[in-house]
Amino acid sequence: MRKYLYGTLLILLTACQQVKVPESFKQSNQLPAIYPKYTEVTVPINIAPLSFELQQPTTATQMVARYSFGSDEIVCGGDDLKACPDVDAWHQLARKASGKAISVEVYSQQQDGQWTRFKPFNIYVSPDSIDPYISYRLISPSYVTYEELTINQRNIENYDESVIYDNMLCGDEVNGQCINCHNYQQQNPGRFQFHARQKHGGTFIAYDGEVKKVNMKNDSILSAGVYPSWHPWLKLIAYSTNKTMQSFHTRDINKIEVLDSESDLIVYDVDRDEVMNIENDPHEFEVFPFWSPDGRWLYYCSAHFVYSADTVNTAETIGRGMEIKYSIYRKAFNPDTREFGPRQMVLDAAGVSKSATLPRISPDGRWLMVALGNWGCFHIWHRDADLWMLDLQAFDQLVGVSKDNTTQTLSPTFDQLQQTAILRPLSEINSDNVESYHSWSHSGRWVIFSSRRTDGVYTRPFIAHFDSNGRGTKPFELPCADPDYHRQFMKSYNIPEFMLGPVTTTPQQIADVLKNDDIPPVKYVQKLSK
């Protein structure tokens, strides 16, 4: 790649070809068909360059793209029909366009040499920066295999990606390992955990340089902890414990279903290696705990389900799976006494024959975002799943929360919350396919979520900006150095989480900890110690 100075920025010459804006062209009133669809999106000032590929016309032989703000511009393109701005030049242009927009012009040349200039579009540059790193699990579709899994981290200010942990380090030809549910305390990469199952199974926890493996198997709880949530400052992690199964569909467009036949909530004390049940009603399936940013509430999902013979029967769970509908609850928590209050209804989704999962609260405590589908809790497989938002400040005023976090009135119905605009679908970011796992940035101005809007098969990370009124902008797909990368990549991004920096513990260091199977089980207690 050669670079030429142009004013204060660089003109890029890609694919070893010199490119320049054509002087003669015909004007089209149509926007260019590009992938990813970066037209009229809002991006953070520190995001990696938004490279894209021209899709139409298919007979095009050359493409030139000009990104400009005022007199500053980046010009790139070539016969591969891809626009790939230089990282440094892009950041310089984005800084100048902060609070305004980068204008993008796309030109295509046909075989007869005629150029066409498409209708320009904008990329709006928000001065709100975004957390510089994300992490995610890369996984093939579950109906293929999960033999090979990695938890990766990506610097989203550029395109650098590295492996946090690879399950093949602990597996062999006969015995494999599954890994899931990475999670951080306040986006701190030095305080993280994930769970390994099967060979060398256990929970890996890192906290400010100290690492350990936890054996969370105990006769008093259903299973080891999954779906974690760190308390904002205490060394406590809330988990659900689950008896999980998969069922595979031969005709349904949703190819697979993941169901729980039992599930409870627990909390684990990292220092004392103690665990206690929070909720373990046999007729309730509790899952997906999440602490409020002030550390005084634990939100979670729960579905009421009673077996016909009052005995756990996995075949009955599968047969009646579409009856399992989750609502959002919360329990008050006193950080001083470490005691939980009774459960309170927040969002009665089951009351309108819907199922709400994955409660995630913005860092300022104002907004509760959930995934809403028709049934079940694993909405990553449900094409009807969308993201919804509830105004917690307005909700608390409506129910009358007292100083001890008790409520004065019963929770309003789902319909009442909609009618009062306390609850609404996020139509500005939803698509006609799956929207599911979502995570707030440290500032609360950005949300990353999983979507299958591109091809209906693989989840890709999408990012959207949210203002102080809880209004989002058109989402944009995670930028890649090669804009065609995601369409060639046959793995899903699972559980995208923001991080304030990279995890520095190496994959081999993590594997060495997990290989130690001589770990005593956690101690079960009725009440957490102060």
Side-chain angles (χ1 to χ4, degrees):
M1 180 182 294
R2 296 155 59 199
K3 300 178 180 179
Y4 288 80
L5 190 64
Y6 187 95
T8 58
L9 290 182
L10 296 175
I11 288 183
L12 303 190
L13 307 179
T14 62
C16 299
Q17 299 176 10
Q18 182 171 350
V19 294
K20 62 180 181 179
V21 176
E23 297 179 356
S24 177
F25 52 83
K26 64 178 182 180
Q27 180 65 47
S28 170
N29 62 0
Q30 301 294 317
L31 287 169
I34 62 172
Y35 173 80
K37 297 179 180 179
Y38 287 145
T39 56
E40 307 301 316
V41 297
T42 298
V43 302
I45 191 172
N46 59 326
I47 196 67
L50 268 61
S51 61
F52 61 83
E53 180 176 10
L54 182 65
Q55 302 295 288
Q56 294 290 344
T58 56
T59 55
T61 60
Q62 293 278 336
M63 186 269 280
V64 171
R66 172 160 58 186
Y67 304 75
S68 65
F69 176 75
S71 61
D72 300 304
E73 62 181 21
I74 302 171
V75 178
C76 52
D79 57 12
D80 60 357
L81 308 184
K82 296 177 181 179
C84 304
D86 173 78
V87 173
D88 292 337
W90 168 268
H91 284 308
Q92 189 174 346
L93 185 62
R95 284 193 295 270
K96 292 200 172 187
S98 176
K100 299 181 176 62
I102 295 171
S103 177
V104 184
E105 304 163 65
V106 177
Y107 302 78
S108 73
Q109 185 185 48
Q110 297 301 297
Q111 293 176 349
D112 61 4
Q114 175 67 51
W115 285 90
T116 298
R117 177 181 183 267
F118 294 97
K119 182 180 178 181
F121 63 89
N122 289 321
I123 295 174
Y124 300 97
V125 182
S126 169
D128 296 326
S129 61
I130 197 168
D131 298 352
Y133 277 80
I134 59 171
S135 60
Y136 38 81
R137 183 174 64 154
L138 293 179
I139 182 173
S140 300
S142 293
Y143 47 81
V144 178
T145 179
Y146 64 88
E147 181 180 16
E148 178 190 1
L149 297 174
T150 60
I151 299 175
N152 284 28
Q153 57 188 355
R154 159 79 190 273
N155 185 336
I156 60 175
E157 296 181 331
N158 53 46
Y159 307 115
D160 294 344
E161 183 180 35
S162 61
V163 173
I164 295 176
Y165 178 68
D166 185 337
N167 74 320
M168 298 295 283
L169 292 171
C170 281
D172 55 39
E173 294 179 357
V174 177
N175 300 297
Q177 184 185 74
C178 178
I179 53 175
N180 61 3
C181 303
H182 53 283
N183 189 256
Y184 307 87
Q185 187 180 50
Q186 299 290 82
Q187 291 93 13
N188 184 340
R191 300 176 180 180
F192 75 100
Q193 73 91 69
F194 70 89
H195 186 65
R197 292 179 295 192
Q198 299 172 337
K199 187 175 177 63
H200 300 307
T203 300
F204 175 87
I205 296 179
Y207 198 93
D208 293 350
E210 296 184 9
V211 296
K212 69 175 181 177
K213 177 181 177 179
V214 179
N215 177 5
M216 215 168 289
K217 294 180 180 178
N218 188 288
D219 291 343
S220 298
I221 58 178
L222 281 178
S223 68
V226 294
Y227 309 133
S229 178
W230 286 81
H231 189 274
W233 69 87
L234 296 175
K235 294 177 75 172
L236 300 177
I237 308 175
Y239 295 94
S240 62
T241 55
N242 308 67
K243 297 291 187 181
T244 303
M245 74 196 84
Q246 293 180 332
S247 61
F248 297 86
H249 302 162
T250 57
R251 291 182 296 175
D252 196 296
I253 194 171
N254 297 315
K255 298 178 179 65
I256 186 174
E257 190 57 48
V258 179
L259 297 165
D260 289 330
S261 60
E262 297 177 87
S263 57
D264 294 330
L265 294 182
I266 63 171
V267 65
Y268 170 70
D269 187 315
V270 176
D271 279 339
R272 295 182 174 89
D273 209 29
E274 295 177 346
V275 65
M276 65 166 278
N277 278 307
I278 306 172
E279 285 281 302
N280 60 345
D281 187 329
H283 298 147
E284 294 287 328
F285 293 171
E286 301 97 350
V287 70
F288 294 130
F290 191 82
W291 294 98
S292 62
D294 65 3
R296 299 184 63 83
W297 294 99
L298 183 68
Y299 288 73
Y300 62 97
C301 314
S302 187
H304 186 71
F305 189 84
V306 180
Y307 288 99
S308 56
D310 208 19
T311 302
V312 175
N313 183 328
T314 56
E316 183 178 350
T317 308
I318 295 172
R320 295 175 55 198
M322 296 185 72
E323 298 177 26
I324 303 175
K325 299 177 187 290
Y326 291 78
S327 294
I328 305 297
Y329 294 85
R330 67 184 180 184
K331 296 172 73 71
F333 177 72
N334 186 322
D336 296 324
T337 63
R338 298 193 173 197
E339 294 178 325
F340 290 91
R343 80 173 189 171
Q344 303 173 15
M345 173 72 78
V346 177
L347 182 62
D348 186 10
V352 291
S353 197
K354 294 289 185 181
S355 188
T357 67
L358 293 166
R360 296 291 181 263
I361 304 170
S362 59
D364 62 1
R366 174 75 183 274
W367 307 105
L368 170 66
M369 191 179 294
V370 300
L372 190 72
N374 289 333
W375 62 287
C377 69
F378 227 73
H379 287 337
I380 195 65
W381 290 106
H382 297 163
R383 291 181 178 234
D384 53 69
D386 282 328
L387 296 177
W388 286 59
M389 189 100 93
L390 185 145
D391 184 339
L392 279 176
Q393 178 178 300
F395 176 84
D396 284 344
Q397 290 174 350
L398 191 63
V399 299
V401 176
S402 63
K403 290 184 178 180
D404 62 354
N405 281 6
T406 58
T407 55
Q408 309 304 309
T409 62
L410 295 176
S411 174
T413 66
F414 188 100
D415 290 339
Q416 288 171 337
L417 290 172
Q418 268 201 276
Q419 291 164 6
T420 55
I422 294 174
L423 173 71
R424 70 178 185 90
L426 291 172
S427 55
E428 65 268 39
I429 71 172
N430 289 325
S431 71
D432 59 0
N433 214 298
V434 177
E435 266 71 57
S436 183
Y437 196 98
H438 43 285
S439 172
W440 291 92
S441 70
H442 189 258
S443 68
R445 286 292 173 260
W446 301 95
V447 167
I448 189 167
F449 62 96
S450 297
S451 179
R452 292 190 176 171
R453 66 186 65 196
T454 303
D455 57 21
V457 178
Y458 295 98
T459 54
R460 306 298 185 214
F462 281 76
I463 299 171
H465 183 266
F466 278 81
D467 63 21
S468 59
N469 296 315
R471 293 288 164 177
T473 58
K474 178 183 175 181
F476 65 94
E477 190 170 344
L478 178 70
C480 295
D482 181 349
D484 202 40
Y485 176 73
H486 280 160
R487 293 191 298 186
Q488 306 296 324
F489 187 54
M490 299 179 69
K491 286 191 176 182
S492 287
Y493 292 70
N494 184 246
I495 315 180
E497 289 274 3
F498 281 112
M499 305 169 1
L500 295 176
V503 170
T504 57
T505 309
T506 69
Q508 190 57 61
Q509 288 172 332
I510 295 174
D512 289 344
V513 173
L514 287 176
K515 287 176 181 178
N516 179 15
D517 292 328
D518 188 23
I519 304 294
V522 295
K523 179 183 178 182
Y524 182 80
V525 296
Q526 296 291 333
K527 182 181 179 300
L528 290 175
S529 303
K530 296 181 183 179

